[in-house]
Amino acid sequence: MVLECKQIAYAQTDFDTKFGVPRQSGRVDALTARIVFLPKYRNPDALRGIEGFSHLWLIWHFSEVEARDEFRPTVRPPRLGGNRVEGVFATRSPYRPNPIGLSCVKLLGVEHTEKEGDVLVVSGADLVNGTPILDIKPYLPFADARPDATGGFAAPLADYALNVVCDEGLLSRLPEDKRDALISVLREDPRPAYQNDPDRVYGFPFAGFEIKFSVAENTLTVLDIVKIRL
């Protein structure tokens, strides 16, 4: 059976590539995003009552993942070093039978605009700029929260973080409202776990700037922050 999904909106974020995007939603609350609805769905009645909820579920499409015809039952999660094999349904890998993602984000408010209609402003999103949104549902604490839940093989990684060193002169090149978000993103360690070369220089675009850094042991050092010329 082939099922059809319709895109209802898209995300506007500071990430134009996958590299650097937090691996899970809610890990970097300093990151803000806008959820812009397609013209057909820009009806304010569709958002009636939404501001009564603090958090939302975003259901979205892994649009940056190349489609695969064959079913692969196992994946190698990069956070585990790329060597450990786990079942695809025991992971949140983007390489799935259906490339569908699920993110829990905090609703900061509804922005009323003339050009784009009502736009959702959220924090904690783990989305590439332009990600197609398929549906939005309210997060219900009494139904969705499970304090006694266990995290399986991912649990030991929950508190993992790098020390980030960034010269104030470099950081000042970023808009002030983007600085905390960048530091939080870097603490999450954008690299796959199997990349551990202290001499390698990594980079990714963020909020219109190219961020260059290196990592030695547990310390990430920002080497440069350069404005991207359009």
Side-chain angles (χ1 to χ4, degrees):
M1 181 183 297
V2 177
L3 304 177
E4 179 180 326
C5 283
K6 297 181 177 67
Q7 178 183 353
I8 65 167
Y10 60 91
Q12 289 182 345
T13 77
D14 290 320
F15 298 97
D16 288 330
T17 65
K18 293 184 293 182
F19 192 80
V21 176
R23 289 180 172 84
Q24 304 295 337
S25 60
R27 294 287 292 181
V28 182
D29 284 334
L31 284 174
T32 59
R34 300 171 78 243
I35 307 302
V36 181
F37 290 90
L38 299 185
K40 179 179 179 179
Y41 301 98
R42 290 177 187 171
N43 188 325
D45 286 342
L47 299 179
R48 186 181 301 175
I50 200 168
E51 290 182 277
F53 297 93
S54 65
H55 291 73
L56 303 171
W57 289 110
L58 302 180
I59 302 168
W60 47 277
H61 173 57
F62 279 107
S63 55
E64 297 295 307
V65 175
E66 185 177 347
R68 294 176 173 176
D69 292 331
E70 75 280 8
F71 171 55
R72 297 187 181 181
T74 60
V75 295
R76 299 177 183 270
R79 195 60 144 174
L80 299 180
N83 296 317
R84 182 168 168 177
V85 176
E86 300 291 348
V88 63
F89 300 130
T91 75
R92 297 191 177 188
S93 167
Y95 299 101
R96 326 187 61 78
N98 292 295
I100 296 173
L102 179 68
S103 298
C104 182
V105 297
K106 183 176 182 179
L107 176 62
L108 300 179
V110 179
E111 178 183 330
H112 306 285
T113 74
E114 182 175 345
K115 181 180 178 181
E116 300 169 321
D118 287 351
V119 174
L120 300 179
V121 182
V122 303
S123 68
D126 53 342
L127 306 174
V128 175
N129 189 40
T131 294
I133 306 298
L134 305 179
D135 203 359
I136 299 168
K137 299 178 185 292
Y139 176 92
L140 302 177
F142 66 86
D144 296 336
R146 291 290 186 267
D148 57 342
T150 57
F153 59 81
L157 303 173
D159 297 324
Y160 174 82
L162 293 176
N163 300 314
V164 176
V165 176
C166 183
D167 182 81
E168 285 297 327
L170 287 178
L171 193 60
S172 66
R173 297 177 185 177
L174 280 177
E176 189 172 356
D177 63 340
K178 302 295 183 183
R179 297 171 191 173
D180 287 345
L182 174 64
I183 297 301
S184 296
V185 165
L186 295 175
R187 284 197 189 106
E188 288 287 296
D189 193 353
R191 306 168 303 157
Y194 55 81
Q195 293 182 359
N196 194 27
D197 181 358
D199 296 322
R200 179 168 178 172
V201 175
Y202 301 87
F204 65 91
F206 173 79
F209 292 79
E210 183 73 15
I211 313 300
K212 299 287 188 180
F213 66 93
S214 62
V215 182
E217 296 183 348
N218 201 43
T219 298
L220 183 151
T221 302
V222 178
L223 303 174
D224 207 355
I225 298 178
V226 182
K227 180 73 173 178
I228 298 174
R229 298 183 182 274
L230 301 179

